Amino acid sequence: MSKQELPVVGQDVAECCPALLTAPLDEEQAEAVAKVFKALGDPVRLRLLSMIASRSGGEVCVCDLTPAFDLSQPTISHHLKLLRQAGLIDCERRGTWVYYWLLPEATDRLARVLTRPAGAPPADTADTAATAR
Amino acid sequence: MSKQELPVVGQDVAECCPALLTAPLDEEQAEAVAKVFKALGDPVRLRLLSMIASRSGGEVCVCDLTPAFDLSQPTISHHLKLLRQAGLIDCERRGTWVYYWLLPEATDRLARVLTRPAGAPPADTADTAATAR
């Protein structure tokens, strides 16, 4: 399937873009961001995502992903579906196989969500300030 | 409790620091990172974390967190415990109340995990390259 046919790829994170550390999230924002973090909160999905993202050429056949796991093809496909629903990857069927690639704007947005506001003290200082009481 | 008494604050992410998008994660790395993303994969925990992180002064009394939610004090405490076990926040009891603060090095590390390697094409280009077939 082409990108054009996909309705909401990465939409959740796109809509939710406030930095987590700058101001309290409202319920709707929190729902949208949590959905993507939840997709990343599983070791098999993280390994799949890292295999897809780090592949030179930018895409991976599902036939090259499955052998790395002691899991059935349907289980792998289910995990890939959850990553896709979270807007982190996209895919296209070509003949027998489905090919997957990273949607880097989704991980970029998520990295921004976790980034501290400009002007925040460096981690060491902030940590010391908070704990040295 | 002081920071010194805490055995494994932020340890999981500290040990696992490979960028997710650079090379395939091994099982152990994926387990460690997934644990932290799982802690973030819940809207209540995300809202708690954003309330704690964005608080001027750097810390929040649990008595100021609870009223924002339609949840019991024990439920809020459970969510805070999961954030703490993931190394994202720390706390200290003072008299009746427990005070929480962000451990910014944990969110910094997580942001780095999601950052694309230097030299990667910008998101738009990468996306176009991957989908324009």
Side-chain angles (χ1 to χ4, degrees):
Chain A
M1 53 219 87
S2 79
K3 196 192 171 194
Q4 284 66 37
E5 292 158 19
L6 282 168
V8 282
V9 170
Q11 199 72 5
D12 290 333
V13 202
E15 283 172 1
C16 69
C17 250
L20 179 63
L21 313 179
T22 308
L25 298 181
D26 66 30
E27 286 183 48
E28 202 175 325
Q29 292 167 334
E31 288 281 352
V33 190
K35 203 188 291 183
V36 188
F37 280 131
K38 195 171 178 182
L40 294 174
D42 176 277
V44 171
R45 289 198 291 277
L46 273 186
R47 287 180 62 204
L48 284 167
L49 187 67
S50 73
M51 288 172 75
I52 294 168
S54 62
R55 183 68 159 227
S56 73
E59 63 169 33
V60 191
C61 173
V62 68
C63 57
D64 290 328
L65 295 171
T66 314
F69 298 87
D70 193 19
L71 295 167
S72 70
Q73 170 69 50
T75 301
I76 295 292
S77 291
H78 175 70
H79 283 300
L80 288 166
K81 185 180 164 193
L82 293 180
L83 288 173
R84 190 161 163 267
Q85 285 176 338
L88 290 159
I89 59 172
D90 199 2
C91 67
E92 182 177 60
R93 175 176 289 280
R94 283 180 232 140
T96 311
W97 301 112
V98 181
Y99 293 78
Y100 290 88
W101 58 86
L102 178 73
L103 293 176
E105 61 275 27
T107 45
D108 284 357
R109 276 187 222 111
L110 222 48
R112 280 200 297 275
V113 163
L114 288 164
T115 300
R116 281 184 291 155
D124 285 346
T125 319
D127 186 42
T128 309
T131 55
R133 277 180 291 261
Chain B
M1 52 220 90
S2 78
K3 195 190 173 200
Q4 284 65 35
E5 291 157 21
L6 282 167
V8 283
V9 169
Q11 200 72 4
D12 290 334
V13 203
E15 282 172 1
C16 69
C17 250
L20 179 63
L21 313 179
T22 309
L25 298 182
D26 66 31
E27 286 183 49
E28 201 176 326
Q29 293 168 331
E31 288 282 352
V33 190
K35 204 189 288 182
V36 188
F37 280 131
K38 196 171 178 182
L40 294 174
D42 177 276
V44 172
R45 290 197 290 278
L46 273 186
R47 287 179 62 205
L48 284 167
L49 187 68
S50 73
M51 288 171 77
I52 294 167
S54 62
R55 184 66 158 229
S56 73
E59 63 169 32
V60 191
C61 174
V62 68
C63 57
D64 290 328
L65 294 171
T66 315
F69 298 87
D70 194 19
L71 295 167
S72 70
Q73 171 68 50
T75 301
I76 296 292
S77 292
H78 175 70
H79 282 302
L80 288 166
K81 185 179 163 194
L82 294 181
L83 287 172
R84 190 160 162 269
Q85 285 176 338
L88 290 159
I89 59 172
D90 200 1
C91 67
E92 183 176 60
R93 174 177 289 281
R94 282 180 234 141
T96 310
W97 300 112
V98 181
Y99 293 78
Y100 290 88
W101 57 86
L102 178 74
L103 293 176
E105 61 274 28
T107 44
D108 285 358
R109 276 188 222 110
L110 221 48
R112 280 200 297 276
V113 164
L114 288 164
T115 300
R116 281 182 292 155
D124 285 345
T125 319
D127 186 44
T128 308
T131 55
R133 278 180 291 260

